[in-house]
Each structure stands twice: as structure tokens, then as C-alpha cells.
Amino acid sequence: MLISQVGNPDGSITVVVREEGGQARAVKGAASVYALAMEAATSGRSLKAVIDAKGLGDEVDLEEAYADGRLLSPITHPDAAHLHLTGTGLTHLGSAATRDSMHKKTTEAAEETLTDSMKMFRMGLENGKPKPGEKGVQPEWFYKGNGSQAVAPGAALTSPSFALDGGEEPEMAGIYIIAADGSPFRIGFAVSNEFSDHVTERINYLYLAHSKLRQASFGPEIRVGAAPDDIRGFSRILRGGAVLWEKPFVSGEANMSHTFANLEYHHFKYGLFRAPGDVHVHMFGTATLSFGDGIRTEEGDVFEIGADGFGLPLRNPLAIAGEDEIEIRQL
């Protein structure tokens, strides 16, 4: 089941569900995806059971809503400060063509010659997929911001004036809510653009935290339930309506050095991230970047990312913010 949100002129939200390739319909009496998810977590029922109990109403044209700019992020929080955008990297094996050479490099090289990135990648290869009941190695982790940094499908991803780059990262994101008793519940997975500043990151790996404090977009639809083992998608950049760059991207545990469960555990092991009522959008990494192919994005470029089985593709144009005048004043 795919679930999404459409904004209405009066400020209300229409929750929309459909099967892949099927007709989208509004969920009767649903105030938001957040409200439905919290009801499911509180009542001990599945999200599908809650939706089935409410019933479906009018048909909804999602493509038309997308074109009109009415699609919202597929989950929002009434208080944006309680939605957390986070992520992890060095989790994917890369393409089949590079996998063998990557394994050879990380297993034959002397420990002292490896970069911190390669050490982290090797740790994932060795212990990122623990046996049931065991805990695997913790991954790289980063913070992107709260719900104020979440950009709706179709809206512009805005790069700060001080940024040295604004580039896409096509990833799968896990979508979670925290129940009243502090228990994390996964709603499902969505395509995401983990928008980042790769030039800043390249200067020094210790600048990774700075490079990730950027907006992000996810959706337009959440695939409710577990993710497939092998996810196949595409990432492209359009400039002036023409394709500037395009590559396939893969995800899912068949293409990763970590399990989703291991990555989830190492995020939610922190009590900070189990505050009742909070929403988490956690991005799981990628092996495909236009920046790696020498692409420098420009204002007006459009990022488009999609994956089989995850609904409509995610599209966002690139905007550049004007310079802020910042003055620190003494009280």
C-alpha cells in the first residue's frame, strides 16, 4: 500500500492511499498520516487495519495534485520541531562493476593505509549484518535538521548562499513514529533526496556535519511495510527540460553492507530519539552521485528520483538562497 498527503485550500489534509498502479482514494475521516499512524500505534492495530476501518472515499488524481503543487510531504508533524531528519552513509556496496575491487581494496590494504571512510566501510562489510539476536557495528550517522528542513515533493530544494555545492543523493528513507510509551514504529519506506554540499565535505571529512545541514525531500508516497531486498531506481538531473545526467541507483539489503534493522537499532538506541509523538525520517545512504561524475548543479536544475514499487517519482528544482545578514547581539 502507498500512502500520501494532499494539501487543501483551507489548510486541511487529504490522506490518500492506493496500490501501485491502482486508483488513489481519500481515507475517510483521516486528519493526516501522522494522526493515522499514532492511532495505529496507540490501539495496537496495523496502519492498514486503521485505514480499512475508516473506509475509502472519493478518487484523487495524484498527478494533477502534483502538477498543481498540492502534494505535501507524505508525513508531517503538527510541530515541525518534532520531526527529525537524519541519515547514515557508507552503507551500500556500490555497483556490481566496482564491488569486487572495493572488497579487495578493503581486505588487502594495511590498516594504517586506509582512510577513515574506508575503515568505516570495511567495518560494515565485516559486521553490518549481524545474526538475529546480535548487535552489529554502528554506522556513520549524521543530522540534517528538523521538519522545517523537509521540502515537499515538487517544491524547491534551496541551497544556502554560503554553500559550495548543492547536489542530490538518491536514497531510501525509513519513516517512523514514536508511540506514547516511547516505542518506535516503522510506517514504511520512501524515496528521498538527501540534498548535500559535496564540495564542502571533500575539503575535509570533518566538515561532513556542515555539509549535511541542508534541506531534504522525500516521497511523494510512503510504501507501507517492509522494504524489498533488491530496490532498483533511477536518479536524473534535468536542465532546461533536457536530461543533463542520469544513472540507475540500487538499494535494499541485497545491495547494502548493513541490514535495515542494524541501522534502525543504532539510531533508536538513543533515548533522545524515542520521545513520544516524534516523527523520524532516516535516510539510509547511496552509492550513486552526479557529483562523482563531475556534475556541478545550477539554479533551476530539477532533480528527479524514482524507484520501482515506491509510487510517483520525487521531483525538486534547485534554488539558491540570498545572503543572510547575521548579527549576534549581546543581551
Side-chain angles (χ1 to χ4, degrees):
M1 181 176 68
L2 298 168
I3 192 165
S4 56
Q5 298 191 132
V6 175
N8 301 313
D10 64 358
S12 64
I13 293 172
T14 297
V15 177
V16 181
V17 297
R18 69 185 182 108
E19 298 297 328
E20 179 75 17
Q23 178 59 53
R25 303 183 74 93
V27 180
K28 293 180 179 179
S32 65
V33 170
Y34 174 75
L36 287 174
M38 290 300 294
E39 181 178 342
T42 301
S43 65
R45 294 176 292 166
S46 70
L47 182 58
K48 185 178 186 304
V50 170
I51 291 171
D52 287 346
K54 292 184 179 297
L56 302 183
D58 295 339
E59 294 185 358
V60 177
D61 189 332
L62 285 179
E63 291 279 11
E64 181 179 70
Y66 209 167
D68 291 344
R70 293 186 290 118
L71 279 187
L72 306 175
S73 296
I75 190 169
T76 48
H77 194 287
D79 180 351
H82 289 277
L83 187 153
H84 307 277
L85 297 172
T86 57
T88 185
L90 302 172
T91 55
H92 283 63
L93 299 172
S95 68
T98 61
R99 187 175 301 163
D100 288 343
S101 62
M102 187 177 291
H103 283 206
K104 183 176 180 181
K105 184 173 183 180
T106 58
T107 55
E108 292 185 357
E111 181 73 19
E112 61 271 16
T113 67
L114 293 176
T115 65
D116 286 342
S117 293
M118 294 305 289
K119 289 177 183 176
M120 183 70 74
F121 181 78
R122 184 164 74 175
M123 289 164 62
L125 289 176
E126 294 172 348
N127 196 21
K129 293 184 174 181
K131 296 177 182 177
E134 297 181 358
K135 295 180 176 63
V137 68
Q138 63 184 0
E140 173 195 54
W141 181 96
F142 55 83
Y143 175 71
K144 290 192 68 67
N146 59 27
S148 68
Q149 296 291 85
V151 172
L157 285 163
T158 302
S159 187
S161 61
F162 55 79
L164 303 179
D165 170 57
E168 88 298 335
E169 294 204 16
E171 307 189 11
M172 300 313 303
I175 316 297
Y176 309 86
I177 57 100
I178 311 300
D181 65 355
S183 300
F185 282 86
R186 184 197 314 116
I187 296 172
F189 292 82
V191 171
S192 69
N193 186 340
E194 196 269 288
F195 185 61
S196 300
D197 183 342
H198 303 103
V199 173
T200 293
E201 180 184 348
R202 178 179 274 185
I203 293 171
N204 188 305
Y205 193 68
L206 295 178
Y207 280 168
L208 176 73
H210 288 280
S211 75
K212 296 298 187 182
L213 286 172
R214 299 291 186 272
Q215 294 180 335
S217 189
F218 61 99
E221 300 175 86
I222 299 170
R223 176 179 170 138
V224 176
D229 285 339
D230 185 19
I231 298 170
R232 302 281 165 164
F234 68 89
S235 179
R236 66 172 66 110
I237 298 174
L238 296 96
R239 181 173 294 170
V243 175
L244 172 69
W245 173 90
E246 181 172 8
K247 268 191 173 180
F249 85 91
V250 297
S251 192
E253 292 181 3
N255 304 296
M256 297 171 66
S257 54
H258 289 260
T259 61
F260 286 125
N262 189 53
L263 299 175
E264 290 171 335
Y265 166 75
H266 286 294
H267 179 70
F268 289 111
K269 69 183 181 184
Y270 296 100
L272 171 67
F273 298 140
R274 300 196 305 274
D278 280 5
V279 172
H280 289 257
V281 179
H282 192 58
M283 288 158 270
F284 289 113
T286 188
T288 304
L289 302 172
S290 66
F291 180 78
D293 289 340
I295 299 296
R296 292 300 303 267
T297 57
E298 298 177 0
E299 188 163 23
D301 288 350
V302 176
F303 304 112
E304 187 173 25
I305 300 168
D308 293 342
F310 288 84
L312 297 174
L314 177 63
R315 291 187 291 269
N316 302 94
L318 172 63
I320 308 295
E323 188 169 354
D324 290 326
E325 293 293 333
I326 300 173
E327 178 186 359
I328 313 302
R329 294 178 287 178
Q330 178 64 52
L331 288 174

